[in-house]
Amino acid sequence: MIKAITGTKDILPSEIAKWYYLETIVKEIFSKFNYKEIRTPIFENTSLFARGIGEATDIVSKEMYTFLDRSGESLTLRPELTASVVRAFIEHSLEKKQSLNKIFYIGPMFRQERPQAGRFRQFHQFGAEALGSSDPLLDAEMIIMAFDILNKLGLKNLEVKINSLGVPTEREEYKKILRDYLKQFLSKLSDESKKRLETNVLRIFDSKDERDIEIMKNAPLLIDHLQKESIEHFEIVKSVLTKAEVPFIVEPSLVRGLDYYTHTTFEIVSKSVGSQSALCGGGRYNGLIKELGGSDLPGVGFAAGMERILLACENENSFSLPEEKIDLYIITLDKTKYEISFDLSLKLRRKGITVELDYLSRSVKAQMREANKLNADYVLFVGGEELARNEVVLKNMKTSEQEIISLNEFDLLIKKLGD
Ligand code: HAM
């Protein structure tokens, strides 16, 4: 039997309602903040992600689904969407149409990570990007939107962590200080961190190795090496969040796994899921548009993992959906009358009524069972003497009341079903 690829998951019809619910809330909140949806291709040129996300990141160096197409071009299934949005922004000169572009997206992403609870190889993100302004209000807006979405889903056990990574010059200066500090402990560092010392020293903060963790406890922090402008930017973000009643903690070791960040970075974690607790993450990326060949324009954004969010919702039982039901189930009494039932169902469906009928030539009893299973408000019996008189019998499943309706009074039927 051929099975789905490890780390990928079918979203079955029985699960789709919660996805629709999540997507509706996401779209509702993004539209209140005036973000417009973008849909970009699932695959892009590999160089877009290599340059955008950074060669030394885990995503680019270990996790991308990269392949050569039949003409020998290197393509990659998108591991995230910020680089793609920036590519589209540059390609379509969106800054000429609007000086600030507020964009959102929902869709599948691909990373070849080790699958575990809350970590998949194909997963879904929703996210937003604001391109063209360096206003710290937008940094705060991203965090507020993410927080509001999670709140609206009823999630409670949340922790908003924020940090500032300053500007590249500050970061380069700080990296030297951090390297000098770490060199004292060179022999004690894990092999992975020894490698990172030169390639991506900030990520040593993310090491899970006990020895590294111990060493990093006393490491100098970037946040203590920021200049006036970066500090001011971060202060505004913090004060706006406080006014917006978003509780947050400053986490100076929050460096994030993508290279493009400048100034604010953030993550919202949930205490209701296992180790893969980051429900969303993002931050400002003032150099990325230029890096990918566009103008020197700033940007800020975030993305959230939808599987993880739904897992947290399930663990907290944070929302319940209305019971699924249909308006009408048509029970065909006589096997020769299926076409009449189908014709009737079609007319009603085209008037906006949710109708199901039997396609399996089942017994009346089995059809009745199906009507109950589908939670039908009404059933309609088609056949027998009534149909010979051009009539049908409508039964209200709650009250068990039955009435005969003439098929000449089609409008009456619609009215009853619509009530
Ligand atoms: P990220 O932190 O790599 O950021 O991913 C954002 C969220 O996607 C994570 O917090 C997590 O919930 C979810 N996620 C990531 N990998 C997986 C996985 N393998 N399985 C399930 N969920 C996963 C970004 O992607 C940036 N593009 C965010 C951003 C937008 N920054 C600025 N703009």
Side-chain angles (χ1 to χ4, degrees):
M1 200 200 109
I2 300 172
K3 292 195 168 171
I5 310 289
T6 308
T8 70
K9 219 166 67 107
D10 298 308
I11 300 169
L12 296 173
S14 57
E15 300 167 293
I16 204 69
K18 60 185 183 198
W19 284 84
Y20 285 168
Y21 181 67
L22 170 56
E23 286 164 20
T24 305
I25 289 179
V26 166
K27 287 180 186 170
E28 221 173 76
I29 292 189
F30 282 152
S31 88
K32 295 274 185 296
F33 286 81
N34 197 30
Y35 285 72
K36 297 273 190 301
E37 187 174 357
I38 192 167
R39 297 186 187 184
T40 63
I42 298 285
F43 56 98
E44 300 268 1
N45 267 302
T46 302
S47 57
L48 172 67
F49 301 115
R51 268 167 63 192
I53 302 170
E55 300 272 6
T57 60
D58 282 353
I59 297 180
V60 173
S61 65
K62 301 184 196 159
E63 298 167 0
M64 294 205 303
Y65 280 100
T66 297
F67 58 98
L68 294 181
D69 75 359
R70 284 167 199 276
S71 59
E73 200 169 352
S74 180
L75 305 177
T76 293
L77 300 185
R78 59 193 199 186
E80 59 110 52
L81 221 66
T82 311
S84 305
V85 171
V86 169
R87 197 252 325 123
F89 170 83
I90 299 167
E91 189 169 334
H92 303 284
S93 306
L94 296 186
E95 81 275 17
K96 294 206 180 106
K97 295 173 189 128
Q98 229 164 354
S99 36
L100 172 63
N101 279 269
K102 294 170 103 182
I103 296 170
F104 82 88
Y105 48 84
I106 302 180
M109 311 292 155
F110 309 84
R111 296 183 193 176
Q112 193 165 6
E113 294 190 78
R114 197 169 47 77
Q116 63 179 90
R119 190 158 75 191
F120 303 97
R121 291 182 168 176
Q122 174 172 339
F123 58 98
H124 296 77
Q125 285 187 342
F126 64 81
E129 313 290 342
L131 305 159
S133 164
S134 50
D135 193 333
L137 287 178
L138 284 170
D139 306 33
E141 182 164 297
M142 291 297 162
I143 302 170
I144 292 166
M145 287 194 297
F147 187 72
D148 283 3
I149 290 169
L150 299 176
N151 248 328
K152 192 129 194 207
L153 289 164
L155 286 173
K156 294 270 176 324
N157 283 319
L158 301 173
E159 200 165 65
V160 181
K161 298 177 179 181
I162 65 169
N163 189 23
S164 173
L165 297 182
V167 295
T169 46
E170 289 160 347
R171 215 161 43 237
E172 286 315 309
E173 240 351 89
Y174 163 73
K175 279 185 191 168
K176 280 187 217 146
I177 298 168
L178 183 60
R179 275 194 200 102
D180 285 345
Y181 167 80
L182 289 171
K183 275 177 188 153
Q184 306 169 65
F185 305 99
L186 198 55
S187 59
K188 295 197 183 118
L189 281 174
S190 67
D191 289 345
E192 182 72 21
S193 293
K194 271 185 203 133
K195 265 188 251 156
R196 282 185 165 156
L197 198 59
E198 294 311 321
T199 57
N200 205 348
V201 64
L202 292 182
R203 285 307 297 276
I204 301 181
F205 278 108
D206 287 342
S207 171
K208 303 275 181 289
D209 187 291
E210 286 301 328
R211 289 163 304 172
D212 294 345
I213 293 173
E214 210 40 51
I215 294 167
M216 294 315 278
K217 270 187 191 157
N218 297 317
L221 297 169
L222 174 51
I223 204 151
D224 298 326
H225 292 83
L226 298 179
Q227 306 289 313
K228 188 163 164 277
E229 260 180 55
S230 292
I231 293 170
E232 277 171 8
H233 186 100
F234 197 44
E235 286 305 317
I236 296 174
V237 175
K238 288 193 285 184
S239 96
V240 174
L241 289 178
T242 306
K243 276 194 219 120
E245 295 177 35
V246 176
F248 63 87
I249 53 166
V250 176
E251 176 92 37
S253 62
L254 179 71
V255 291
R256 309 258 311 126
L258 304 94
D259 275 359
Y260 46 61
Y261 293 112
T262 56
H263 292 290
T264 319
T265 54
F266 77 97
E267 275 184 8
I268 303 184
V269 300
S270 164
K271 284 174 251 158
S272 305
V273 289
S275 62
Q276 298 306 305
S277 61
L279 300 188
C280 67
R284 180 162 280 288
Y285 45 88
N286 286 353
L288 183 61
I289 299 174
K290 186 155 180 253
E291 171 64 32
L292 291 176
S295 325
D296 190 5
L297 287 169
V300 60
F302 81 97
M306 297 171 78
E307 284 81 359
R308 280 185 203 177
I309 289 176
L310 288 174
L311 185 66
C313 291
E314 211 171 292
N315 291 350
E316 286 189 30
N317 209 354
S318 73
F319 66 81
S320 53
L321 295 171
E323 216 182 343
E324 283 185 22
K325 64 181 196 71
I326 60 169
D327 297 324
L328 177 71
Y329 190 91
I330 299 180
I331 294 184
T332 314
L333 302 174
D334 179 340
K335 294 214 181 333
T336 62
K337 300 295 185 284
Y338 271 96
E339 273 185 38
I340 296 177
S341 295
F342 186 76
D343 181 51
L344 209 54
S345 77
L346 199 57
K347 283 190 186 130
L348 291 166
R349 286 162 171 167
R350 285 178 170 166
K351 291 285 179 194
I353 313 255
T354 309
V355 186
E356 187 53 294
L357 70 158
D358 178 43
Y359 299 89
L360 298 169
S361 297
R362 282 179 278 204
S363 68
V364 171
K365 214 167 144 195
Q367 292 185 58
M368 198 63 190
R369 261 202 308 275
E370 186 66 11
N372 277 316
K373 197 167 145 196
L374 294 176
N375 208 4
D377 282 342
Y378 288 89
V379 294
L380 192 71
F381 296 96
V382 174
E385 301 162 18
E386 283 84 7
L387 191 63
R389 292 196 301 267
N390 204 29
E391 288 170 346
V392 286
V393 178
L394 183 69
K395 179 176 179 183
N396 182 322
M397 295 293 273
K398 266 192 212 91
T399 62
S400 290
E401 270 172 56
Q402 299 204 27
E403 63 184 303
I404 296 173
I405 295 178
S406 162
L407 285 176
N408 297 327
E409 293 176 303
F410 189 67
D411 287 346
L412 179 67
L413 185 59
I414 292 172
K415 191 173 171 304
K416 293 216 169 277
L417 293 170
D419 282 348

